[in-house]
Amino acid sequence: MKFAYHIALFAAFASTALGASQFFGLNYNPKRPDGSCPNVYQVQADLKVLRPYTNRLRIYSVHDCNQGEPVLRAMENTDWKVELGLWVNKNDAVFEADKKELLRLTQYFNFAKQVSAVVVGSEAVYRKEQTAEQLAAKIRNVKQALANVGLANIPVTTSETWPTYYQVLINEVDFVNMHGFPFWEGVNIDKANDKMFQHIYDLQAAAKGKKVVVGETGWPSAGDHYGAAETGMHNAQRYLQQFVCRAARENIEYYYFNSFDQNWASTNNASNVEGHWGIVKSDYVTPKFAEPIYSCN
């Protein structure tokens, strides 16, 4: 029965027409629209919605909501790949719980096939919850833990904003995974992509040949403006088109932010935009933009 179920699921994915605009990868949090934890069937439904756009996702924690297991289970026997995140904050017990769950999952899933990278922390230095040296030590710790179970070939990195990706982190990671949001710099949409790519170029220079991947970038389709950066559908689609096309021309890998609009996302910041970064609406089904989302002609 299990074998037949997976064959049917794979056929459903394979039959999905790839007529939608393609992304190298997307950021994904499988929590449901009300913020509740997901089960494998809900993740499978999400993957079916997202498969026309990409077959690469990044999640931020394997332990939060125990989301690592349903995501990996839903991806079995498909062409999906995932970057698995370990959350890092001031409380090292949170990191240790994520690492413990990661190692447990290595016993049940084919990491060599399904996992493209492990991402240790997301903006922990930017939030001043870790020093760069503390985070670098955690990266080394995870590398050793994976090597101990025969998975030394899985790339390990961290995600930080462009100004907080310090040299000690660049030296430790297998590739640089940077976040950049010209919106949060208050940059007018006319200059936003030039600003973003300058950050990429600066990190490429600092990385001295090590690959630089954009782990997050995007533009909100609704909410309050931020300085000269104005939200809205037009600007969100314009930023997306210019970024995706330029990244393709320059062979820059990226995970666009975000898969879904998320009503549960925090609004505790200076601009009420956190629920409005997705390429799919908050019902997790309806595309936000008409196709083609972008055209690079």
Side-chain angles (χ1 to χ4, degrees):
M1 288 293 291
K2 182 178 179 182
F3 177 77
Y5 170 76
H6 283 308
I7 290 295
L9 178 62
F10 181 79
F13 285 158
S15 65
T16 302
L18 298 181
S21 300
Q22 297 289 290
F23 295 80
F24 181 85
L26 293 169
N27 288 276
Y28 171 63
N29 191 316
K31 288 183 181 179
R32 309 324 300 157
D34 63 359
S36 61
C37 295
N39 61 48
V40 65
Y41 305 107
Q42 292 167 324
V43 176
Q44 287 167 350
D46 290 349
L47 297 187
K48 189 172 183 181
V49 171
L50 296 174
R51 184 60 189 87
Y53 303 106
T54 191
N55 67 340
R56 300 181 187 92
L57 296 177
R58 170 197 174 188
I59 66 172
Y60 291 81
S61 170
V62 293
H63 183 256
D64 180 34
C65 268
N66 292 319
Q67 63 185 263
E69 182 161 356
V71 169
L72 287 167
R73 188 70 67 194
M75 290 181 174
E76 280 186 312
N77 300 311
T78 74
D79 66 345
W80 280 100
K81 291 187 179 296
V82 63
E83 290 188 344
L84 295 177
L86 308 184
W87 193 251
V88 175
N89 59 18
K90 292 180 180 178
N91 182 2
D92 281 352
V94 172
F95 162 71
E96 292 295 340
D98 252 304
K99 186 180 74 171
K100 181 178 179 180
E101 177 65 3
L102 177 78
L103 295 175
R104 186 188 74 83
L105 292 171
T106 66
Q107 302 174 54
Y108 300 101
F109 297 97
N110 185 349
F111 269 46
K113 180 179 184 295
Q114 294 180 263
V115 178
S116 55
V118 172
V119 184
V120 182
S122 183
E123 301 186 0
V125 175
Y126 168 76
R127 295 193 305 273
K128 301 185 185 307
E129 295 177 346
Q130 295 279 301
T131 67
E133 291 74 18
Q134 288 172 326
L135 186 56
K138 288 178 171 60
I139 295 166
R140 288 192 296 273
N141 181 287
V142 171
K143 285 183 176 182
Q144 186 60 58
L146 289 172
N148 291 345
V149 294
L151 292 171
N153 290 334
I154 301 289
V156 179
T157 188
T158 189
S159 287
E160 277 296 331
T161 60
W162 56 269
T164 53
Y165 222 118
Y166 298 119
Q167 196 67 47
V168 65
L169 297 175
I170 293 172
N171 294 344
E172 198 62 54
V173 297
D174 292 318
F175 65 92
V176 174
N177 204 43
M178 66 162 285
H179 293 179
F181 289 93
F183 177 84
W184 287 121
E185 297 180 68
V187 177
N188 183 279
I189 190 65
D190 293 336
K191 300 177 180 178
N193 263 276
D194 284 342
K195 174 69 76 171
M196 178 63 193
F197 277 82
Q198 188 57 57
H199 298 327
I200 295 171
Y201 302 151
D202 289 345
L203 268 178
Q204 286 175 331
K208 297 180 174 62
K210 191 171 286 188
K211 182 169 68 172
V212 174
V213 175
V214 176
E216 284 185 8
T217 196
W219 197 276
S221 60
D224 300 330
H225 304 326
Y226 192 77
E230 297 186 359
T231 61
M233 289 286 288
H234 175 76
N235 282 354
Q237 189 166 8
R238 180 179 173 188
Y239 181 83
L240 185 158
Q241 165 153 325
Q242 292 176 348
F243 174 81
V244 169
C245 293
R246 189 164 170 179
R249 289 195 305 270
E250 300 189 20
N251 295 314
I252 293 171
E253 298 175 8
Y254 64 89
Y255 286 76
Y256 204 78
F257 191 83
N258 203 1
S259 294
F260 301 126
D261 279 354
Q262 298 169 328
N263 289 335
W264 54 266
S266 171
T267 57
N268 237 349
N269 56 54
S271 184
N272 184 19
V273 300
E274 289 300 319
H276 304 288
W277 298 84
I279 64 167
V280 176
K281 293 182 179 181
S282 58
D283 61 2
Y284 289 24
V285 174
T286 308
K288 183 186 288 185
F289 305 103
E291 287 291 346
I293 300 176
Y294 65 83
S295 173
C296 298
N297 296 331

